[in-house]
Amino acid sequence: ADAIMLSAESAAGMYPEESVLMQQRIINRVEGDPHYAAYLRTNRPKITDGSSSSAIILAARQIARNVKAKCIASFTVGGDTARKASKKRPEQPILAISPLKETCRHLAMSWGVYPEYCPEGNLNTDNFRDMLWVACEIGLKKGLVSDDKDLLVVTAGFPFGTPGAANIIRVIPAAGPTYWDAGL
């Protein structure tokens, strides 16, 4: 499931905070179980639509695992790329950066997705390097990366704003797209 919820007495009773904390403990325990991780690896849904965005998502997951990236960052307008990535249940969190609040609200319900609203005025979609800097800054702000050498796998589509146009993938350190250390 992408989300779970409390209902009735659990949500509105005398102990709503404790209910949420217990729910979080259960989630952490299940997701931390090695059997659960093995189950996810063997039962990942197939993305077989043959689109470039599906290929980029599959590649991003593989690259992130191979280079031990801390997160996958996806620039998205409508959220399709981030939703497809979520379906594959990658080991890394997915940072979905969108200029639309509505998209961010919808993505908040997707498994492993950390949406971030970034107004178009703060996103220079004509300069991919600027977009990479934005991904690093947001990743650091959200705590998805913490060290300058932590890696992000970034996906985007150009021209930006074209549905299903994911066609770029890049590995960058949290220090930014102009930083690279031979040890990475």
Side-chain angles (χ1 to χ4, degrees), residues 12-153:
M14 292 179 56
Y15 305 101
E17 257 184 74
E18 290 82 354
S19 296
V20 171
L21 290 172
M22 177 55 74
Q23 193 174 40
Q24 186 62 57
R25 284 180 38 207
I26 293 167
I27 293 166
N28 291 347
R29 187 137 185 214
V30 168
E31 289 184 351
D33 187 298
H35 291 63
Y36 179 72
Y39 170 80
L40 286 180
R41 279 192 301 276
T42 58
N43 293 301
R44 284 193 172 100
K46 305 283 186 254
I47 299 176
T48 57
D49 64 5
S51 68
S52 65
S53 64
S54 293
I56 291 289
I57 291 160
L58 293 172
R61 187 175 63 87
Q62 179 97 18
I63 292 167
R65 185 175 52 235
N66 288 346
V67 301
K68 297 179 178 35
K70 296 292 182 180
C71 80
I72 297 170
S74 177
F75 286 93
T76 184
V77 175
D80 288 340
T81 304
R83 269 189 289 279
K84 282 183 183 179
S86 173
K87 281 184 185 178
K88 291 302 288 178
R89 302 295 195 253
E91 296 157 20
Q92 298 76 10
I94 302 157
L95 172 59
I97 304 165
S98 177
L100 300 177
K101 287 182 182 179
E102 184 176 344
T103 297
C104 291
R105 285 198 280 287
H106 286 254
L107 289 173
M109 298 302 290
S110 295
W111 185 92
V113 176
Y114 294 80
E116 179 71 19
Y117 169 66
C118 186
E120 284 194 49
N122 296 354
L123 199 56
N124 181 1
T125 58
D126 293 327
N127 186 324
F128 188 56
R129 181 174 281 186
D130 288 352
M131 292 174 70
L132 294 173
W133 279 110
V134 167
C136 292
E137 290 167 8
I138 293 171
L140 285 163
K141 181 179 88 174
K142 284 194 167 285
L144 299 174
V145 291
S146 55
D147 185 84
D148 281 352
K149 292 184 179 184
D150 287 345
L151 296 176
L152 297 89
V153 175

